[in-house]
Amino acid sequence: MLYFVRLGTFGFGGPIALAGYMQRDLVEQWGWVTPKQYKDGLALAQLAPGPLAAQLAIYFGWLRAGVLGATAVGLAFILPSFVMVLGLSVLYVEYGGLPWMRSAFYGVGAAVIAIIARSAVKLAGMTLSRDFLLWAVFGVNAVVTGWTETEIVWVFLLSGVVVMLIRAPPRSSGRGLLFGIAGLPDWLVSGLHGPAAAGTLWMIVWYFAEAGAVIFGSGLAIVPFLHGGVVERFGWLTERQFLDAIAVAMITPGPVVITVAFIGYLVAGPLGGSLAGIAVFLPVYLFTVLGAPYYHRFADNRQIRAFVDGVTAAAAGAIAGAGYVLGRRAITDLPTVAIALGTLVLLGQKRIPEPLLILLAGVAGLLLGSSVAES
């Protein structure tokens, strides 16, 4: 458990890097997990929705001590980044109006767009290869997301179904919980716009649980889904605030989806941030704990694998579309173009971690001065 606390505290680099750390430490160095168990866990994490690294960690906890082990490891891995994000949320709400902070996020926003664009390219290269069908799914989802400025869930899931039907068509076999906030102190549910209503808290729980249940592929796959709801549908955050939320997730260790805690805090204070974090990881936990005992029954199912391939291609396309949508707001002048291009160049230097690039972009924003941040 202490290992996963440390990994959650210092584990930068995204899901692939975190999975690599677990292989190095748990398999090669300490022998706590066999190579076969590692491969099985990685395959399960790829088949189920949710952030890959968190699923893999929860699976290893389940291997060691069942449901209790999965629960303990999940909390140990997620809590450090959750606490960091909540701390940054407090500072953002308290000091977000200061010129220096607006200037910093002016630069950070451009860098985030570059990272999103590169992630879409990498995910497409890793998962689509030369498969024309998957590239078509990628293109459709990129265009739909860019055109509508939101991720349409039924198109996302339909992509998986289409690929499944083409590649592995199934054979015909012939066979109120009440939630009230009365009596709670205002500070517990107060975000950017004052105390949140009970209905808003319910919506936070439902919406972020839905997000955790439908994201596949890279952790950034949650970005277009969240943008469609948080900015377009509910109007909880502005475009700039949403980009800031993604940036906060990138400069902290752990899974990128922890950005929901920042969003929840801005909408409904500490309770909103906590509910958002719990909601987005609950489907991940349940899929892993409930699916692990039966994994071998469906691991080689052609229909399931085809569905996952289709949804992963859709996720890559949605990330590309979201990058276009957000880029129109974040890259607005020559300085932001320069920051975005500089970030892309530095991303090619594999020794430079993404959090450091985000911080450098923030420094560049500060040096450019608070006046440019007003745009």
Side-chain angles (χ1 to χ4, degrees):
M1 184 170 169
L2 290 176
Y3 168 77
F4 287 102
V5 171
R6 180 166 62 85
L7 186 65
T9 304
F10 302 106
F12 290 98
I16 302 302
L18 291 170
Y21 298 151
M22 287 185 240
Q23 181 183 26
R24 180 197 64 193
D25 299 335
L26 302 181
V27 180
E28 298 172 3
Q29 185 171 340
W30 297 323
W32 290 355
V33 176
T34 68
K36 183 181 184 307
Q37 288 172 330
Y38 179 85
K39 290 178 182 177
D40 287 347
L42 191 60
L44 176 61
Q46 290 171 325
L47 283 173
L52 182 144
Q55 285 176 320
L56 191 58
I58 292 171
Y59 177 76
F60 291 151
W62 178 83
L63 279 179
R64 299 283 291 187
V67 174
L68 182 61
T71 305
V73 166
L75 291 173
F77 180 65
I78 295 165
L79 277 178
S81 57
F82 174 76
V83 171
M84 293 180 205
V85 167
L86 279 191
L88 290 172
S89 304
V90 174
L91 295 175
Y92 186 88
V93 172
E94 291 297 322
Y95 303 110
L98 295 181
W100 69 265
M101 185 167 279
R102 294 199 306 273
S103 298
F105 279 105
Y106 164 80
V108 164
V112 167
I113 296 304
I115 292 173
I116 290 175
R118 181 174 171 82
S119 295
V121 171
K122 287 176 63 178
L123 183 60
M126 284 173 21
T127 59
L128 309 187
S129 186
R130 297 182 179 179
D131 191 308
F132 174 79
L133 175 61
L134 296 183
W135 276 106
V137 169
F138 171 93
V140 168
N141 279 268
V143 171
V144 168
T145 303
W147 183 269
T148 64
E149 301 191 358
T150 185
E151 182 180 67
I152 303 174
V153 175
W154 67 264
V155 174
F156 193 73
L157 298 177
L158 181 62
S159 301
V161 174
V162 168
V163 174
M164 181 186 70
L165 292 177
I166 293 175
R167 281 188 175 178
R171 300 174 184 173
S172 176
S173 61
R175 318 177 253 163
L177 179 64
L178 295 178
F179 193 118
I181 61 172
L184 292 178
D186 285 349
W187 65 265
L188 191 60
V189 293
S190 293
L192 287 173
H193 308 296
T200 301
L201 292 172
W202 268 118
M203 188 57 67
I204 286 173
V205 172
W206 176 256
Y207 182 70
F208 290 122
E210 182 184 1
V214 300
I215 57 168
F216 284 82
S218 164
L220 283 174
I222 200 172
V223 171
F225 184 90
L226 292 182
H227 179 267
V230 170
V231 178
E232 301 291 339
R233 182 175 164 194
F234 304 122
W236 286 338
L237 302 183
T238 65
E239 296 280 358
R240 171 57 57 186
Q241 290 165 346
F242 182 77
L243 271 174
D244 294 348
I246 303 302
V248 164
M250 289 182 174
I251 63 175
T252 53
V256 174
V257 296
I258 201 64
T259 188
V260 303
F262 184 87
I263 295 171
Y265 187 98
L266 298 191
V267 176
L271 183 57
S274 300
L275 290 175
I278 292 170
V280 80
F281 284 106
L282 184 59
V284 177
Y285 172 82
L286 293 177
F287 274 120
T288 305
V289 170
L290 298 179
Y294 308 101
Y295 163 70
H296 294 288
R297 297 185 185 182
F298 59 80
D300 297 321
N301 184 285
R302 292 176 63 240
Q303 283 81 23
I304 291 177
R305 288 196 173 275
F307 176 83
V308 171
D309 285 345
V311 173
T312 303
I319 292 172
Y324 166 74
V325 172
L326 296 172
R328 289 187 304 170
R329 277 81 169 184
I331 302 177
T332 56
D333 49 26
L334 286 178
T336 49
V337 169
I339 291 172
L341 292 177
T343 302
L344 281 174
V345 171
L346 292 175
L347 281 170
Q349 310 299 315
K350 296 184 178 180
R351 295 183 179 180
I352 304 179
E354 290 179 2
L356 178 58
L357 292 178
I358 295 290
L359 292 176
L360 290 175
V363 172
L366 286 172
L367 294 176
L368 289 168
S370 60
S371 60
V372 293
E374 299 298 332
S375 63

